[in-house]
Amino acid sequence: DVKVTQSSRYLVKRTGEKVFLECVQDMDHENMFWYRQDPGLGLRLIYFSYDVKMKEKGDIPEGYSVSREKKERFSLILESASTNQTSMYLCASRLPGGEQYFGPGTRLTVT
Amino acid sequence: KNEVEQSPQNLTAQEGEFITINCSYSVGISALHWLQQHPGGGIVSLFMLSSGKKKHGRLIATINIQEKHSSLHITASHPRDSAVYICAVISYGGSQGNLIFGKGTKLSVKP
């Protein structure tokens, strides 16, 4: 079974803090993705990576950065958290052309 | 206009009813996904299809490429089917095959 895990299910951070969200997949997938999900807006792509050290901006990259130093791990970084980054964050991975597998999500609250 | 439109947005059914959720898209696609999200956040891939019909248990997904339309059917619905169902497409020429998501259909099945 493909497994995508995320470092935290729930996270509370203060405005201005640096926040790291980690995602690990165990199926040697090339492609990895970070989304945020907000009521009424659906899933929106923040960043994706199709190989180690490769990254591409998605639809809403502002305020975020990513790191992919190893194939199995894709990290999302909020350099200076703001209240409008309170959201559900979902990581996903897949082989090119294959099914997409999602992590359980991290519900981040920025106060 | 959204590239992927789902209907209805919300659906309430009685246990045992036959349910249909519709998805229309406006771009050329290489594949369409149906995803399920239960309360609590985790997203599971139900189907990936590019033509015809697929069946898994009580779930059936169909796609009509010419009409740019897909349906997800649930036979003999059960309260455990209560979830948000999300349609997503991979467009031709889309950057690295990223998914374009519909906003989801929230299904509630009453006992």
Side-chain angles (χ1 to χ4, degrees), chain A residues 3-109:
Chain A
K3 199 151 189 186
V4 181
T5 56
Q6 295 183 226
S7 48
S8 306
R9 290 301 304 272
Y10 300 94
L11 209 51
V12 180
K13 294 291 181 180
R14 292 194 183 276
T15 300
E17 278 193 83
K18 192 168 186 175
V19 181
F20 292 89
L21 302 181
E22 289 213 311
C23 175
V24 178
Q25 50 93 6
D26 65 359
M27 283 301 289
D28 206 34
H29 286 172
E30 281 90 354
N31 295 355
M32 296 188 73
F33 306 84
W34 274 107
Y35 301 95
R36 64 177 282 177
Q37 186 179 33
D38 300 287
L41 297 177
L43 283 149
R44 293 181 291 167
L45 180 64
I46 305 171
Y47 267 97
F48 66 97
S49 168
Y50 50 90
D51 204 349
V52 175
K53 296 194 187 293
M54 306 300 284
K55 59 186 179 185
E56 293 275 349
K57 292 180 180 179
D59 300 318
I60 51 163
E62 296 78 20
Y64 303 95
S65 62
V66 290
S67 171
R68 192 159 181 207
E69 296 296 318
K70 293 185 179 181
K71 192 174 186 179
E72 67 271 19
R73 190 179 297 268
F74 191 35
S75 300
L76 180 69
I77 302 148
L78 287 65
E79 295 290 341
S80 177
S82 64
T83 54
N84 63 12
Q85 292 178 310
T86 292
S87 187
M88 170 70 89
Y89 290 88
L90 289 145
C91 174
S93 75
R94 73 163 189 266
L95 290 169
E99 281 194 42
Q100 186 140 320
Y101 296 87
F102 287 82
T106 296
R107 190 166 291 282
L108 172 67
T109 302

Side-chain angles (χ1 to χ4, degrees), chain B:
Chain B
K1 185 181 185 300
N2 293 329
E3 291 168 302
V4 180
E5 298 271 4
Q6 287 185 237
S7 63
Q9 282 187 318
N10 294 282
L11 182 55
T12 300
Q14 287 298 128
E15 184 173 355
E17 283 185 7
F18 181 84
I19 288 161
T20 296
I21 299 170
N22 295 299
C23 175
S24 296
Y25 51 91
S26 57
V27 295
I29 68 166
S30 56
L32 182 143
H33 295 245
W34 279 104
L35 309 169
Q36 181 192 55
Q37 185 174 29
H38 278 287
I43 296 177
V44 174
S45 177
L46 298 174
F47 296 103
M48 184 177 76
L49 63 167
S50 53
S51 65
K53 178 177 173 177
K54 285 191 176 181
K55 184 175 190 291
H56 186 258
R58 294 180 295 105
L59 301 178
I60 303 165
T62 63
I63 188 167
N64 184 318
I65 297 293
Q66 287 73 29
E67 294 190 2
K68 295 187 174 177
H69 182 269
S70 175
S71 293
L72 177 69
H73 305 286
I74 304 175
T75 61
S77 60
H78 190 275
R80 65 174 174 267
D81 297 325
S82 298
V84 175
Y85 292 85
I86 302 168
C87 172
V89 303
I90 299 177
S91 66
Y92 284 128
S95 178
Q96 294 294 321
N98 291 332
L99 292 177
I100 305 170
F101 296 90
K103 294 220 166 40
T105 295
K106 186 174 182 180
L107 171 66
S108 178
V109 181
K110 307 289 186 190

